[in-house]
Amino acid sequence: MKKAGIYLLCLFLLQSKATFSQEIQLPKPTQITGSIGITNNGLSIIPSFSLEKPATIVNMSVSKGRFSFDPELAFSLEAKPWYSLFWFRYNLSPNQSKFKMNVGTHLGLNFVTMPIPTTNDSIQIQKTDRYFVLEMFPRYQLSKHLTMGIYFLRSHGLDAGTLRTLNFVTLYADISQILLSKKVTLGITPQLYYLNIDGNDGYYLTSEISLSLQDFPIIFKSTMNKTFESKVEGSRPFLWNIKLVYPLKGVK
């Protein structure tokens, strides 16, 4: 009887421990990351659109579990706002999977400076155009250095005089963590994309190159955008920029 009692007590303790471990789940931490970049020529998320002057771009990300809030704010160096994006994103794929699938939406604000002619002088005002945007980003990690995927974005203008419908589809590759030396890392992100704005379309090639130096806080980046054929108003044959990016350390 004594041995049976000890056996039942041990069984009860093991069962209680298993139940306790199943019921108590530690909350997932909130992660905050970001970066600040300065460029000689501001290029938007769609590289065929340019500010045509130096700009500062601030990116932030607040994530918890599969959800994230990712605001992006862009200004000219004269401190005039260029655009503001307020992304809400959700990761549909398991954390350990090589296949990743994100969906997102944002309210985008585009700030346009417009002159108002008067009898004596021309006064400029700033007009805010609002856009509702959806995105989908499936991709697959083929190796440690190579990820490929498709990025789709659809935008609808909410105000009179804005671009009514914009569709942006890109074939995407990310070649990362290429060691040029013990202290220099190279990354290349080529994209072949299609753009359609209110029935006018175009075909483009863009590529971003990044250089990271060990123990150096600044990342050097350059984006080049080539137009193959386009009926989209404002498309330039070739655009490029150089950007200095300072990553902000993540906190939990």
Side-chain angles (χ1 to χ4, degrees):
M1 283 296 291
K2 186 176 182 181
K3 290 184 178 180
I6 294 174
Y7 173 79
L8 291 175
L9 178 61
C10 292
L11 184 63
F12 173 78
L13 291 175
L14 289 174
Q15 180 65 31
S16 300
K17 181 178 180 181
T19 303
F20 183 78
S21 62
Q22 290 176 1
E23 290 179 353
I24 296 182
Q25 297 181 356
L26 295 177
K28 294 183 179 179
T30 299
Q31 296 183 339
I32 302 176
T33 57
S35 66
I36 299 175
I38 298 178
T39 176
N40 67 316
N41 182 21
L43 299 181
S44 73
I45 187 174
I46 300 174
S48 57
F49 296 154
S50 168
L51 183 61
E52 299 182 358
K53 62 174 65 176
T56 299
I57 301 176
V58 179
N59 293 91
M60 295 295 295
S61 179
V62 181
S63 61
K64 187 177 180 65
R66 296 190 178 188
F67 289 95
S68 68
F69 172 59
D70 308 317
E72 180 176 333
L73 310 176
F75 306 85
S76 71
L77 294 190
E78 302 166 348
K80 293 183 179 179
W82 175 21
Y83 66 80
S84 299
L85 311 179
F86 301 96
W87 284 104
F88 291 90
R89 292 186 168 109
Y90 182 73
N91 179 16
L92 295 172
S93 52
N95 292 332
Q96 303 301 322
S97 174
K98 290 187 176 182
F99 175 78
K100 301 293 184 182
M101 178 69 155
N102 291 81
V103 294
T105 182
H106 81 238
L107 174 65
L109 305 177
N110 188 48
F111 304 97
V112 181
T113 300
M114 301 179 59
I116 297 181
T118 63
T119 55
N120 297 324
D121 196 3
S122 179
I123 302 175
Q124 291 187 336
I125 64 170
Q126 195 166 70
K127 177 175 176 288
T128 303
D129 295 332
R130 299 174 302 159
Y131 292 90
F132 177 72
V133 180
L134 298 172
E135 72 168 1
M136 184 170 58
F137 186 21
R139 58 204 182 277
Y140 187 82
Q141 183 179 0
L142 297 172
S143 69
K144 176 183 177 181
H145 302 287
L146 178 61
T147 299
M148 300 185 68
I150 300 173
Y151 179 81
F152 171 73
L153 181 146
R154 184 177 177 88
S155 170
H156 292 276
L158 301 178
D159 301 300
T162 59
L163 305 176
R164 301 311 304 167
T165 303
L166 181 150
N167 290 295
F168 172 66
V169 183
T170 176
L171 299 177
Y172 160 97
D174 182 19
I175 306 168
S176 62
Q177 301 180 16
I178 305 300
L179 293 178
L180 299 182
S181 69
K182 292 183 178 180
K183 294 187 177 182
V184 181
T185 303
L186 172 69
I188 305 175
T189 309
Q191 299 181 61
L192 180 65
Y193 68 92
Y194 168 77
L195 179 64
N196 186 299
I197 300 178
D198 294 338
N200 299 313
D201 56 7
Y203 300 87
Y204 309 81
L205 174 66
T206 186
S207 182
E208 182 181 77
I209 300 174
S210 65
L211 283 176
S212 302
L213 306 179
Q214 185 178 354
D215 300 325
F216 189 73
I218 303 297
I219 300 175
F220 300 90
K221 294 188 176 184
S222 178
T223 301
M224 292 166 283
N225 188 81
K226 171 65 178 177
T227 301
F228 290 127
E229 179 182 351
S230 179
K231 297 179 182 179
V232 177
E233 183 178 356
S235 293
R236 300 294 185 87
F238 183 76
L239 289 171
W240 72 279
N241 73 358
I242 295 176
K243 182 166 39 172
L244 305 179
V245 178
Y246 178 75
L248 303 175
K249 294 183 179 180
V251 296
K252 296 182 180 181

